Amino acid sequence: MKLRATLIGFTAILMWSFLALFTAASGKMPPFQLSAVCFAIGSLPGLVVLILNPARLALLKQPAKVWITGIAGLFGYHFLYFTALRNAPAVEAGLVAYLWPLLIVVGSALLPGERLRWYHVAGALAGLCGTFLIVGRNGVDFDGAYAVGYGAAFLCAFTWSGYSLLTRRFDAVSTDVVTGFCLATSMLSLFCHLGLETTVWPETIFEWVAVAGLGLFPVGAAFYAWDYGVKNGDIQILGAASYAAPLLSTLILVLFGFAEPSWRIALACLLVTGGAVLAAQDMFRRKVPAQPAAAA
């Protein structure tokens, strides 16, 4: 059960690695408009399930703390991330925001039944180094003039790691509630768009397909898979393995001709893969059953 849930959580990381490709192909929609549209699309799979099985609607009746945590996690993360990108260089803001996998690994020590081992931290740090090589390939320069952006990125990392860790405490809550989280995030993003942005729609069918892909997978199914994974799987392994997302994203961009291969990518592959294997060694261990004592 735990292995299966962890593997389902991995699929969220795989889907997030297509985020950059789909975003690059989606045209020039402003961030909050894109978020509103994609989260509306992302709610569709959950709505279909609820329509086909109306009895599951009862699962949406949850305490206020569940709804506050979910909406704050999904909308809060994206609001802070977009704010960081608006007020700081993308490279530095991205690096600060991508502290969240490390925070999940370290913070998991506070969860009931979890023990933080040295190899969990070492694996997450190796992944962070690999991410640094990928994201900071053109250099990194933290400037105090962008303190607001860096602060938003730091809060962004804490928001997503906090959401993931708190979600683990709501393990009895059905993943169906993610449908409501997506709808609420879509509405809040729409309000932000109407107040802060100018509406721009995709110009081609190809761009619409990219937007639909974003909504169905990285900004849709991925959140359902992540919710199930962190509730029922190994959250420490998932946290460390999350550093694979920017690496896989870069490899996908290289494959589709949006980026050039380099030694940095090769080294990042070693760091991220090695870190994930190190952090996941509990999965590879097999308990050897004790041999019965020999008869006297």
Side-chain angles (χ1 to χ4, degrees):
M1 174 67 176
K2 191 171 185 178
L3 174 60
R4 177 175 174 271
T6 303
L7 293 176
I8 290 174
F10 281 152
T11 66
I13 298 170
L14 291 175
M15 286 185 276
W16 285 330
S17 58
F18 282 88
L19 182 64
L21 177 65
F22 284 147
T23 301
S26 64
K28 299 180 180 179
M29 290 177 67
F32 283 115
Q33 182 189 356
L34 184 62
S35 178
V37 172
C38 287
F39 274 103
I41 295 172
S43 69
L44 294 179
L47 290 174
V48 170
V49 171
L50 294 174
I51 291 172
L52 294 177
N53 190 355
R56 299 189 70 85
L57 285 169
L59 298 174
L60 300 182
K61 188 178 181 180
Q62 300 293 338
K65 61 183 179 181
V66 172
W67 287 100
I68 292 172
T69 299
I71 296 171
L74 268 64
F75 175 74
Y77 171 82
H78 289 85
F79 178 84
L80 289 167
Y81 187 71
F82 293 150
T83 300
L85 294 184
R86 285 174 178 269
N87 293 277
V91 170
E92 288 79 2
L95 282 173
V96 174
Y98 235 92
L99 287 171
W100 66 261
L102 181 61
L103 293 174
I104 287 177
V105 173
V106 175
S108 66
L110 302 176
L111 295 174
E114 298 290 349
R115 293 184 62 187
L116 186 64
R117 306 282 189 175
W118 69 268
Y119 46 81
H120 293 134
V121 178
L125 288 174
L128 179 61
C129 291
T131 300
F132 183 89
L133 285 175
I134 291 294
V135 181
R137 57 187 176 276
N138 295 319
V140 177
D141 181 20
F142 288 97
D143 189 331
Y146 303 115
V148 172
Y150 298 148
F154 194 66
L155 290 175
C156 176
F158 268 95
T159 297
W160 189 252
S161 59
Y163 163 73
S164 299
L165 292 168
L166 288 172
T167 295
R168 179 59 170 251
R169 291 183 173 272
F170 302 142
D171 58 331
V173 176
S174 171
T175 296
D176 289 89
V177 299
V178 175
T179 304
F181 299 163
C182 287
L183 284 172
T185 300
S186 176
M187 293 299 297
L188 291 171
S189 297
L190 177 61
F191 293 146
C192 289
H193 163 65
L194 294 176
L196 300 171
E197 300 172 335
T198 300
T199 301
V200 178
W201 294 108
E203 298 177 350
T204 66
I205 293 178
F206 180 77
E207 291 180 355
W208 274 112
V209 170
V211 171
L214 269 174
L216 289 174
F217 298 107
V219 188
F223 291 110
Y224 297 90
W226 185 252
D227 181 86
Y228 186 84
V230 297
K231 283 178 179 175
N232 302 286
D234 192 316
I235 194 170
Q236 294 166 335
I237 294 174
L238 287 173
S242 296
Y243 279 117
L247 171 62
L248 292 173
S249 178
T250 302
L251 292 176
I252 290 169
L253 291 174
V254 169
L255 181 63
F256 283 87
F258 286 91
E260 295 293 330
S262 69
W263 66 268
R264 284 178 176 270
I265 295 177
L267 183 55
C269 280
L270 291 176
L271 285 168
V272 174
T273 304
V277 170
L278 180 63
Q281 63 176 281
D282 287 338
M283 286 181 63
F284 305 122
R285 291 177 177 175
R286 293 290 183 269
K287 292 183 179 180
V288 179
Q291 297 296 325

